[in-house]
Amino acid sequence: ILQHPDGTVLKQLQPPPRGPREEEFYNKVYDPNCCDSILLELRKYLPKYFGVWSPPTAPNGTYLKLEDVTRKFNKPCIMDVKIGQKSYDPYASVEKIQQQVSKYPLMEEIGFLVLGMRVYHISSDTYETQNQHYGRSLTKETVKDGISKFFHSGYCLRKDVVAASIQKIEKILEWFEGQTQLNFYASSLLFVYEGSCQAATVRLSDVTLVEKRGVPKGLLPGGDVLECNNNIHVINSTENGKIEASVSKGLSKFYALHKKSCSKRHHSQLSLKVENLEQDNVWKRSTCIAQEHLNGNVLPQLEKVFYHMPAETKESANVEVRMIDFAHVFPSNAKDEGYIYGLKNLITVLQNILDN
């Protein structure tokens, strides 16, 4: 996934039939003339879609332009969970089915698979990452503890985030219980929450102020361009007329780099670098608790806050749960029982984490 300087992310279109199928799905759901209440409701649970995009120097390279769900977070903790009892679609070959089943034989029984996670630890100011091999190693007995790792700050379990996540999934489950026109295979839920002790509103206040002043979206006062989400970089101030040229030039160079890298590694993750980027994290100046103070009496107090949050606070935790990956969505005339099974099982596991 690449980041565009305007704050969106770029997902490269997969080869046919998967890529065109995913593009068709987004076009159908986000059709300006759509009047289907089921699809209009579905928009709430997806990243916003802004059409397709191609680099100026490579018009045949097509990307889906999507909302960056992590953008509003200072230290985003991210988990990708594939949902459903089958990770292969109805048209998969026997070989494809065997391949998918062999990756995680428990998929049908558990109903979901952790594809990866990245969790921010306050104590060390670092991220712990787990890849798909971690998820595939989880059994019926260990899946609860395996998922709870995502909700642990290094000091304590973020029960407020678990509670908020359950509420978000229940809303998605409601949608699935009420629709019989689409079936989803190999689709995921993307979980994102704020990992730092700093309230996300501290970071958002500046953006809100910028928007109130009428500055174009994606720009800061003085013509600076807001770019990345985790490590905010800012393009050096230029006249407005020069910004677009600088961005296009950077994207063209980056596209060539991306293409070269992808030939070596299919799922490469790169950071979009535009010329003249400053390397300082501009948001680090406004942290609410400095790292050197995370000792003594502060940590026990933090634990008390997270362990004993009142219910109304838990409900308002800064959490996003969105559906992603739609290369295997097909028309149907029945409920998507496999996806529903997975959602219910995931809710049960999260509830167990919350209760125990």
Side-chain angles (χ1 to χ4, degrees):
I1 297 290
L2 313 180
Q3 286 183 307
H4 192 284
D6 68 4
T8 58
V9 292
L10 304 170
K11 178 182 179 181
Q12 189 165 29
L13 209 64
Q14 298 178 73
R18 292 174 297 166
R21 191 188 294 136
E22 184 165 29
E23 182 184 355
E24 182 185 354
F25 169 80
Y26 274 114
N27 285 333
K28 181 177 181 180
V29 174
Y30 283 94
D31 184 341
N33 298 317
C34 177
C35 55
D36 185 329
S37 60
I38 295 294
L39 298 183
L40 293 175
E41 173 77 12
L42 178 59
R43 291 181 185 179
K44 297 178 183 178
Y45 313 118
L46 313 182
K48 291 184 180 67
Y49 173 61
F50 302 100
V52 295
W53 177 88
S54 296
T57 56
N60 293 328
T62 307
Y63 293 81
L64 297 172
K65 205 163 184 284
L66 303 166
E67 172 191 5
D68 181 358
V69 181
T70 71
R71 181 181 172 119
K72 67 180 181 180
F73 297 92
N74 182 43
K75 295 291 184 182
C77 296
I78 306 169
M79 179 169 66
D80 184 336
V81 182
K82 186 183 288 188
I83 304 292
Q85 291 178 283
K86 297 176 180 177
S87 57
Y88 53 88
D89 64 54
Y91 302 99
S93 64
V94 174
E95 292 77 19
K96 180 68 173 179
I97 293 173
Q98 290 174 344
Q99 178 197 48
Q100 289 298 314
V101 171
S102 66
K103 285 182 179 179
Y104 194 57
L106 287 172
M107 188 80 178
E108 188 166 356
E109 188 173 353
I110 294 179
F112 60 84
L113 166 64
V114 177
L115 292 179
M117 65 174 71
R118 190 179 74 162
V119 189
Y120 178 71
H121 286 172
I122 299 174
S123 56
S124 58
D125 191 25
T126 59
Y127 283 95
E128 176 189 354
T129 60
Q130 301 290 349
N131 61 19
Q132 55 189 324
H133 300 294
Y134 171 81
R136 290 174 188 162
S137 71
L138 299 178
T139 65
K140 288 183 292 181
E141 293 72 30
T142 63
V143 68
K144 175 190 157 191
D145 290 338
I147 287 186
S148 67
K149 185 187 287 283
F150 174 65
F151 299 100
H152 207 285
S153 70
Y155 291 124
C156 60
L157 183 68
R158 290 289 304 273
K159 287 195 170 188
D160 59 318
V161 176
V162 180
S165 297
I166 290 173
Q167 290 185 339
K168 300 273 187 181
I169 301 170
E170 284 175 340
K171 289 289 186 184
I172 295 173
L173 175 60
E174 246 179 72
W175 182 84
F176 271 91
E177 292 280 20
Q179 71 91 23
T180 57
Q181 58 177 283
L182 294 171
N183 277 8
F184 295 73
Y185 301 91
S187 185
S188 292
L189 289 184
L190 183 72
F191 292 77
V192 189
Y193 72 89
E194 181 55 62
S196 71
C197 56
Q198 174 187 358
T201 51
V202 172
R203 178 183 168 186
L204 284 174
S205 61
D206 292 335
V207 177
T208 305
L209 186 62
V210 167
E211 289 177 352
K212 283 180 179 178
R213 288 175 179 169
V215 179
K217 197 170 184 180
L219 298 183
L220 293 176
D224 294 339
V225 178
L226 190 61
E227 197 235 325
C228 298
N229 59 321
N230 308 344
N231 302 298
I232 299 296
H233 299 300
V234 181
I235 295 178
N236 287 338
S237 297
T238 61
E239 296 175 11
N240 286 347
K242 294 180 181 178
I243 290 177
E244 186 61 34
S246 174
V247 169
S248 297
K249 185 177 180 183
L251 289 173
S252 301
K253 289 177 68 177
F254 180 71
Y255 175 74
L257 173 66
H258 169 59
K259 193 136 186 165
K260 181 179 178 182
S261 176
C262 282
S263 65
K264 298 178 182 177
R265 195 161 57 125
H266 180 62
H267 288 296
S268 61
Q269 288 192 350
L270 304 170
S271 295
L272 180 58
K273 294 183 178 178
V274 184
E275 291 181 317
N276 301 324
L277 291 182
E278 295 178 1
Q279 297 305 310
D280 293 335
N281 183 333
V282 298
W283 300 111
K284 281 188 176 177
R285 300 168 192 158
S286 57
T287 51
C288 72
I289 298 181
Q291 186 61 42
E292 58 267 25
H293 296 300
L294 288 177
N295 50 32
N297 294 325
V298 176
L299 298 181
Q301 294 304 316
L302 279 176
E303 288 192 344
K304 287 178 184 177
V305 170
F306 287 132
Y307 272 122
H308 304 292
M309 273 191 178
E312 61 272 17
T313 307
K314 290 178 182 178
E315 290 173 4
S316 62
N318 195 3
V319 178
E320 290 285 354
V321 179
R322 304 287 187 94
M323 296 171 62
I324 59 170
D325 297 336
F326 306 110
H328 303 276
V329 179
F330 296 91
S332 175
N333 55 9
K335 285 186 181 181
D336 191 341
E337 298 294 350
Y339 202 103
I340 289 172
Y341 176 90
L343 289 177
K344 286 182 175 179
N345 250 20
L346 182 55
I347 290 171
T348 299
V349 170
L350 293 178
Q351 194 63 55
N352 286 338
I353 292 172
L354 198 59
D355 295 341
N356 302 315

